[in-house]
Amino acid sequence: MGFEDWVFGRRWKTRGSSDVGAAVVKLLSSKQWQILSGTKRQDVEKKFSLMSAAKIPPMRVLAASVLHELGRIPHSTECKTVLASEVLDEYPVFIFVSHRWLRPKEGYPDDSSNSKARALAEWGRWYETIYIKSGIRKVFFWLDWPSMDQTDVIPHIQSLPLYVATCNDFLCFETHDYNTRAWCSVERAIAYAFMFSGKIPWVIRGSFELKPGEKPKPQREEMYLPDPREGQLSFEADRKHIMHLMDIAQTSKAWTGGDGRKLNLADKSACRVDAMVLGSHPPAL
């Protein structure tokens, strides 16, 4: 995610102080939340109910089919997203997308050819038609540019752990500097801590195109989590947000399938992930 790049030349706007951060920590620490999985429909539905009661900004998602039709990543003001809580009858697969913006100086997440939008749409089509052979599941992306109110982003940033914990899978759109960026790294750390599949993230390396008749298989690749606290930022003042999110990831509890994992970045062997990689080499910024 390119939080630090959204505001090149300006700072985030927020409507006054917010209690969202405290509500997120309280909810993650509650027994009500910790007994819920991220895969069962009734548990996901309960998560949405708890978030609403805690006045957390509702989770909004973009259908892969809509992204395919548009051929570009829409801005939040275009209202192309839907409430995640309202599509549970569509057998959704909620995918949290972590990415580095391709035109940060222009304040836009994609390049002039919309290669990221095309790759994500194609990946969604691959997931729906090849990976899930039944073809009844629908992919919905949580993607920062359309899913967060761009006029008031801070409450959404504070809510990241809850959004991640409610998604089914984590997808990295990997550019050459993806692993050096603090925001991208903190999202991976949060996914590792709060998402069962955070240990098995999907990765798109640059371009990805689903050609007729082809059934590409992802390649398994061992990776280690970089420390977000040492990552690069365009605005050093944003370090406090990274530190706060890392504190939540390291101290709060959430359901991760009962495997007893702990986020300990000092021990690389303890934070190893088996990524499932599709696509070619990442594009240069």
Side-chain angles (χ1 to χ4, degrees), residues 60-281:
R60 303 193 67 89
V61 290
L62 179 70
S65 58
V66 172
L67 185 60
H68 179 75
E69 292 171 4
L70 291 173
R72 60 179 177 80
I73 300 174
H75 189 271
S76 64
T77 56
E78 296 180 66
C79 301
K80 298 297 184 179
T81 58
V82 295
L83 289 173
S85 59
E86 294 183 356
V87 296
L88 293 177
D89 289 335
E90 299 183 36
Y91 300 98
V93 178
F94 297 130
I95 308 292
F96 188 100
V97 180
S98 174
H99 63 112
R100 168 80 159 121
W101 285 29
L102 299 186
R103 281 189 286 171
K105 292 184 178 181
E106 299 173 42
Y108 193 71
D110 211 344
D111 58 22
S112 58
S113 300
N114 294 308
S115 62
K116 184 185 296 181
R118 293 201 311 273
L120 289 173
E122 287 289 273
W123 186 91
R125 191 160 66 93
W126 169 83
Y127 193 104
E128 292 175 344
T129 61
I130 296 176
Y131 182 69
I132 302 294
K133 297 179 181 179
S134 64
I136 63 172
R137 303 297 299 273
K138 292 186 178 180
V139 168
F140 290 86
F141 295 120
W142 188 98
L143 187 58
D144 52 8
W145 189 238
S147 296
M148 300 172 67
D149 179 358
Q150 297 297 306
T151 67
D152 191 24
V153 300
I154 295 298
H156 295 268
I157 293 172
Q158 295 172 326
S159 303
L160 275 178
L162 296 177
Y163 298 151
V164 170
T166 306
C167 285
N168 303 103
D169 278 310
F170 188 83
L171 172 62
C172 310
F173 184 88
E174 188 179 276
T175 50
H176 74 287
D177 62 345
Y178 175 86
N179 290 312
T180 70
R181 306 305 299 182
W183 280 110
C184 297
S185 297
V186 81
E187 289 165 351
R188 290 179 63 186
I190 292 171
Y192 183 90
F194 297 129
M195 181 190 288
F196 173 71
S197 56
K199 290 182 69 173
I200 318 172
W202 295 100
V203 176
I204 297 176
R205 287 223 168 106
S207 62
F208 175 65
E209 182 180 358
L210 188 60
K211 297 179 181 180
E214 288 189 351
K215 295 183 178 181
K217 295 183 179 180
Q219 301 299 310
R220 186 177 293 270
E221 183 175 320
E222 185 176 272
M223 296 180 178
Y224 296 92
L225 298 180
D227 193 331
R229 294 164 295 195
E230 300 172 1
Q232 297 176 12
L233 290 165
S234 294
F235 294 96
E236 188 57 34
D238 297 341
R239 188 77 57 184
K240 62 180 181 293
H241 297 295
I242 299 296
M243 302 301 287
H244 174 67
L245 289 170
M246 278 300 296
D247 183 61
I248 292 175
Q250 290 183 309
T251 60
S252 299
K253 295 180 180 179
W255 188 88
T256 51
D259 59 10
R261 76 183 72 166
K262 293 183 179 180
L263 183 63
N264 179 14
L265 296 177
D267 182 0
K268 283 191 174 182
S269 63
C271 288
R272 177 179 58 84
V273 300
D274 292 313
M276 303 299 289
V277 183
L278 286 165
S280 61
H281 296 293

